Amino acid sequence: MYPYNKNTKLYETSLEMKEKAKENQVATLAEDRRLLEILYMAQQENADLAERFASLMTDARMADSVNILKAMYLDELKHMNQIKEAYYLITNQKDEAIPKGNPPTLSGQELLEDTLLLEIDNGDFYRTLHLTMPTQELRDIFFEISSDKMSHSNALTYLFSKYYSR
């Protein structure tokens, strides 16, 4: 039989304590200037990657794969907005800055290879951020970015083998 008269006050108290601890952890994150600077740099890097994908889309050799590259380009724009959302969740302040991406200096095979390596590194970076965040909302944001980065790595590996493995 189910104990209908069970005291649930203990459970409610521990849940309230967990919520207060998470609020304190987020407040601590808001004071961490290094983290806020890392988020700004991550936004800039996503803008740079978007420029790389835009450049790869114009490469005549990869014309057959422009839809794959366009999807990754749009993902980078989405990641910039997700990082702004994370910044807001941490600081309760809107970040109105829109970073401009720097055009890549490389082209062709070198650009594709360098972009692949950057995406692999970024996947690891966002996975680490995901594991260190105190709230589920923040973890969800960084988990999605990390999984997108890993998908980009797979797609770029496919494109590299398709166009440059010979």
Side-chain angles (χ1 to χ4, degrees), residues 39 42-55 57 68-86 95 97-102 119 122 126 141 144-145 148-149 152:
L39 290 177
Q43 268 191 328
Q44 182 62 49
E45 187 155 345
N46 283 318
D48 291 345
L49 281 166
E51 287 293 324
R52 286 171 173 261
F53 289 125
S55 178
M57 282 190 288
I68 296 171
L69 294 166
K70 184 177 181 181
M72 290 188 280
Y73 169 80
L74 293 173
D75 277 346
E76 295 304 326
L77 298 180
K78 176 183 74 170
H79 297 160
M80 288 172 31
N81 289 328
Q82 287 175 313
I83 292 172
K84 284 183 183 201
E85 182 182 351
D95 180 15
I98 301 173
K100 292 278 187 187
N102 299 318
E119 288 287 45
N122 284 343
Y126 287 109
I141 289 170
E144 183 177 350
I145 295 173
D148 283 348
K149 296 293 184 180
H152 293 179

Side-chain angles (χ1 to χ4, degrees), residues 28-109:
T28 302
L29 288 178
E31 295 171 2
D32 188 357
R33 294 292 164 218
R34 216 174 64 201
L35 174 65
L36 300 179
E37 187 175 318
I38 286 172
L39 290 177
Y40 174 77
M41 289 177 2
Q43 268 191 328
Q44 182 62 49
E45 187 155 345
N46 283 318
D48 291 345
L49 281 166
E51 287 293 324
R52 286 171 173 261
F53 289 125
S55 178
L56 286 169
M57 282 190 288
T58 62
D59 189 345
R61 187 168 184 176
M62 290 188 244
D64 294 343
S65 302
V66 74
N67 289 335
I68 296 171
L69 294 166
K70 184 177 181 181
M72 290 188 280
Y73 169 80
L74 293 173
D75 277 346
E76 295 304 326
L77 298 180
K78 176 183 74 170
H79 297 160
M80 288 172 31
N81 289 328
Q82 287 175 313
I83 292 172
K84 284 183 183 201
E85 182 182 351
Y87 182 85
Y88 177 76
L89 289 172
I90 292 170
T91 64
N92 287 328
Q93 297 175 357
K94 289 200 178 235
D95 180 15
E96 300 296 331
I98 301 173
K100 292 278 187 187
N102 299 318
T105 57
L106 303 171
S107 64
Q109 181 178 355

